[in-house]
Amino acid sequence: MNSFATLLMRDLRLAARSGGGAALALSFFALVATLVPLGVGADLKLLARVAGGVLWVAAVLSALLSLDRLFQGDYEDGSLEVIALSPLALEAVALAKILAHWLSTGLPLTLLSPLLALLFNLDVAPSLTLFLSLLIGTPAVSAVGAIGASLTLSLKRGGLILPLIILPLLAPVVIFGAGAVALVLDGMDGIGALALLAAFSFGAVLLSPFAAAASVRLNLGG
Amino acid sequence: MQFLFRYANPHNFMRLSGAVLPFTAIGAALALTAGLYFVFSVPPDYQQGTTVKILFIHVPAAIMAMVAYSSIAVCSLLSLVWRHPLSDTAARAAAPLGAMFTAMGLITGALWGKPMWGAYWVWDARLTSFLLLLFIYLGYMALWNAIEDEIKAARAAAILALVGAVNIPIIKFSVEWWNTLHQGETITTGKLAAVYVPALLTMMLAYFLLFLSLWTIGIRTAIVERRARNLMKGASQ
């Protein structure tokens, strides 16, 4: 457990110090959200209607930005091999990396979302639902993303192929996340959608370390 | 298992597939001819008119799109768990075929949607999940092509195929949850008029034999290609 925490802290520190991972993702998130009204018009009713979907898509894309470096940096400088040799199981290493990625992108995005929801004219209840859905759903983005990142870690242009691999797999997250907000906007209860989202997220976080570890192993030539 | 591994040897596989291929190919041609004859001779639907005939092109394509992905998933499992050497080649060869069937299902679906729903594309559950399936196929093929080392590419693609296999039912469920406008399945529920059943079944058989033949040709081509490459390597040393 101790080495798990060490690895987690190391990755968080790396994310914070190498070009500010969180700040970058946050600015991207806010920028996409700013461009949307410029594209679809400033009609506040329309903006409230599309806010859930737009902010969810923007969140997924922002999380994607730093995803291709999840294993790649460690692979290139050789530290991934050292980490793989440590007593910590590779599955736990993958989980630590997923957690670090979520703490440095998913969580800050979630915390910023109420502010952006305000700009999109969302009321308190749908805004809270959006916040909760991001809180529940973004771990799944990091987890599924980790599979893609580990599969493409040896590729020079992995960043190009990564979205093609994982975005279709993330469709349920966007559907349930934005769906919960839409339900609340329609005066219904978003709990069902949030529960489905939680189920997906739980499954993804539980299973993807195994897939990611398997593909790290094959890339290390094992 | 024993049986499967006997044909893991490319030599054995080439012999068996070479003997079987003419039959599946000729069978596909015959079934396709008969199927198209049926399609042209069935009466138009009382509601949909002649456009109902798109059904016979559209439904088998959609089914084969899923059969192809299942084949890839099974081959990937064989490759990852039992290190079956030929199944990587088989999985890779099935991908473009599956993508083609998916694209065919989407295109015929769009052409059918225009007279039926008044728009080429509606964001209905099945169309949307098939569009996602197409992207999954494209991602799978892109991963195969991106990794140079063939063994690594095979393993990575196999992992991705299995992740996709776990995820596809979830995607399908989520998209259905999101929106349903498409009519449900009609063959087993008996809602399809009896006069259309022979045409549809023949077309399904034709598509299946076509897939089998093209898949076999694809695997055989890959084996021959690898042999040629090895010969070239041997000659240059």
Side-chain angles (χ1 to χ4, degrees):
Chain A
M1 204 57 215
N2 200 14
S3 44
F4 182 88
T6 313
L7 186 64
L8 180 65
M9 288 314 291
R10 164 187 176 271
D11 275 13
L12 283 176
R13 242 178 259 128
L14 274 174
R17 290 178 192 167
S18 64
L24 204 70
L26 281 178
S27 339
F28 183 80
F29 185 48
L31 254 172
V32 173
T34 312
L35 282 178
V36 169
L38 299 180
V40 303
D43 177 10
L44 284 178
K45 265 202 189 115
L46 177 72
L47 286 181
R49 192 68 241 171
V50 299
V54 165
L55 292 179
W56 249 106
V57 171
V60 169
L61 293 181
S62 321
L64 215 63
L65 277 186
S66 51
L67 212 49
D68 62 320
R69 300 298 295 171
L70 195 60
F71 293 101
Q72 210 174 34
D74 288 350
Y75 177 73
E76 278 164 4
D77 66 15
S79 46
L80 192 59
E81 291 196 31
V82 180
I83 294 170
L85 285 175
S86 76
L88 194 61
L90 215 45
E91 285 76 10
V93 171
L95 189 64
K97 293 220 165 250
I98 291 168
L99 193 58
H101 182 260
W102 181 70
L103 287 173
S104 59
T105 57
L107 186 62
L109 292 176
T110 307
L111 296 176
L112 185 68
S113 72
L115 187 65
L116 293 177
L118 201 68
L119 298 181
F120 275 75
N121 188 32
L122 270 191
D123 272 340
V124 176
S127 174
L128 187 67
T129 314
L130 177 69
F131 178 82
L132 281 177
S133 74
L134 283 169
L135 191 67
I136 297 170
T138 42
V141 178
S142 300
V144 175
I147 301 177
S150 60
L151 286 172
T152 55
L153 67 84
S154 65
L155 298 178
K156 298 244 156 36
R157 317 284 309 267
L160 291 177
I161 191 173
L162 183 63
L164 185 59
I165 291 178
I166 66 162
L167 282 180
L169 302 177
L170 287 174
V173 185
V174 175
I175 288 176
F176 295 135
V181 181
L183 282 174
V184 172
L185 275 178
D186 288 339
M188 280 176 280
D189 163 8
I191 299 292
L194 288 180
L196 287 169
L197 182 63
F200 184 88
S201 204
F202 190 68
V205 172
L206 208 65
L207 294 177
S208 59
F210 293 96
S215 71
V216 167
R217 223 168 263 137
L218 85 88
N219 273 302
L220 292 179
Chain B
M1 267 312 112
Q2 204 70 49
F3 169 80
L4 276 174
F5 275 89
R6 202 150 99 234
Y7 296 103
N9 179 333
H11 181 71
N12 289 346
F13 177 82
M14 287 303 266
R15 227 177 29 202
L16 175 80
S17 62
V20 173
L21 184 59
F23 293 99
T24 57
I26 294 170
L30 288 178
L32 204 58
T33 316
L36 285 176
Y37 174 76
F38 281 139
V39 169
F40 280 108
S41 57
V42 290
D45 186 71
Y46 78 103
Q47 269 184 326
Q48 306 195 354
T50 331
T51 52
V52 74
K53 295 183 181 187
I54 297 175
L55 173 109
F56 306 108
I57 315 281
H58 172 76
V59 172
I63 291 176
M64 290 318 296
M66 290 188 278
V67 169
Y69 197 88
S70 316
S71 315
I72 293 175
V74 170
C75 288
S76 303
L77 195 68
L78 278 173
S79 149
L80 276 182
V81 178
W82 290 283
R83 297 276 189 263
H84 187 285
L86 205 60
S87 56
D88 292 325
T89 317
R92 187 177 195 176
L97 298 172
M100 270 306 300
F101 281 121
T102 313
M104 236 173 109
L106 283 173
I107 293 168
T108 51
L111 291 175
W112 203 4
K114 183 66 182 168
M116 290 304 107
W117 298 325
Y120 284 111
W121 186 264
V122 290
W123 286 95
D124 126 88
R126 293 221 193 156
L127 282 177
T128 311
S129 53
F130 261 75
L131 187 61
L132 289 171
L133 180 64
L134 181 65
F135 286 126
I136 291 177
Y137 270 121
L138 293 180
Y140 176 79
M141 291 193 287
L143 188 64
W144 255 112
N145 292 332
I147 303 178
E148 271 174 46
D149 181 332
E150 213 171 310
I151 296 169
K152 278 186 186 176
R155 297 255 181 91
I159 292 174
L160 180 63
L162 289 181
V163 170
V166 173
N167 225 312
I168 284 172
I170 304 174
I171 293 176
K172 211 167 144 23
F173 166 76
S174 69
V175 173
E176 259 158 33
W177 180 87
W178 172 67
N179 186 7
T180 301
L181 200 148
H182 200 292
Q183 65 169 339
E185 184 211 5
T186 44
I187 305 172
T188 49
T189 50
K191 271 190 256 162
L192 183 72
V195 51
Y196 294 137
V197 171
L200 185 57
L201 290 182
T202 320
M203 284 305 274
M204 278 186 193
L205 180 70
Y207 271 60
F208 183 71
L209 289 174
L210 185 68
F211 169 67
L212 218 56
S213 314
L214 290 175
W215 194 18
T216 313
I217 294 172
I219 302 172
R220 288 172 64 86
T221 312
I223 293 175
V224 172
E225 224 169 35
R226 193 176 310 147
R227 279 184 189 168
R229 227 179 310 139
N230 286 345
L231 281 176
M232 301 260 272
K233 236 186 269 168
S236 64
Q237 272 162 8

